[in-house]
């Protein structure tokens, strides 16, 4: 998501972004656990990340992406306030 148009404040998108950040943080923690030799902690973090990502992907695929394809036209897939934004082609 961009930082230009305010889409990050839409509750659904805000939740998805929070999940992205939680997984990114957990991945860093897992790497640090591996570096320190704490395999059980790394394994638990990867398991937690897997659960979050599976639910996240399902929410994106079944909710956000499907609704976007239904509600948006090709021109709506661009962030007009972002300089150099490129149009994302949408099958019609």
């Amino acid at each position: 998501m961009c930082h230009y148009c305010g889409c990050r404040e839409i509750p659904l998108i805000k939740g998805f972004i929070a999940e992205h950040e939680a997984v990114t943080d957990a991945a860093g923690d897992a790497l640090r656990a591996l570096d320190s030799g704490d395999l059980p902690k790394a394994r638990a973090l990867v398991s937690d990340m897997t659960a979050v990502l599976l639910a996240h992907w399902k929410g994106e695929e079944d909710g956000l992406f499907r609704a976007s394809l239904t509600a948006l036209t090709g021109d709506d897939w661009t962030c007009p306030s972002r300089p150099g934004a490129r149009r994302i082609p949408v099958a019609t």
Side-chain angles (χ1 to χ4, degrees):
M1 305 300 339
C2 71
H3 290 276
Y4 302 94
C5 70
C7 61
R8 291 173 157 270
E9 294 307 314
I10 298 169
L12 177 65
I13 294 173
K14 193 173 198 171
F16 284 138
I17 291 168
E19 291 170 351
H20 284 186
E21 292 170 351
V23 169
T24 300
D25 291 346
D29 292 343
L31 287 173
R32 285 184 284 283
L34 288 171
D35 287 343
S36 68
D38 190 347
L39 295 179
K41 182 176 181 177
R43 196 172 288 120
L45 287 162
V46 169
S47 178
D48 292 346
M49 289 175 4
T50 300
V52 170
L53 286 172
L54 288 173
H56 178 87
W57 292 330
K58 183 165 179 46
E60 285 181 333
E61 293 295 328
D62 294 344
L64 179 65
F65 297 154
R66 185 170 292 157
S68 296
L69 288 173
T70 302
L72 301 176
T73 65
D75 291 338
D76 293 328
W77 284 92
T78 339
C79 179
S81 59
R82 190 177 108 206
R86 69 180 179 87
R87 185 180 177 281
I88 299 171
V90 177
T92 54

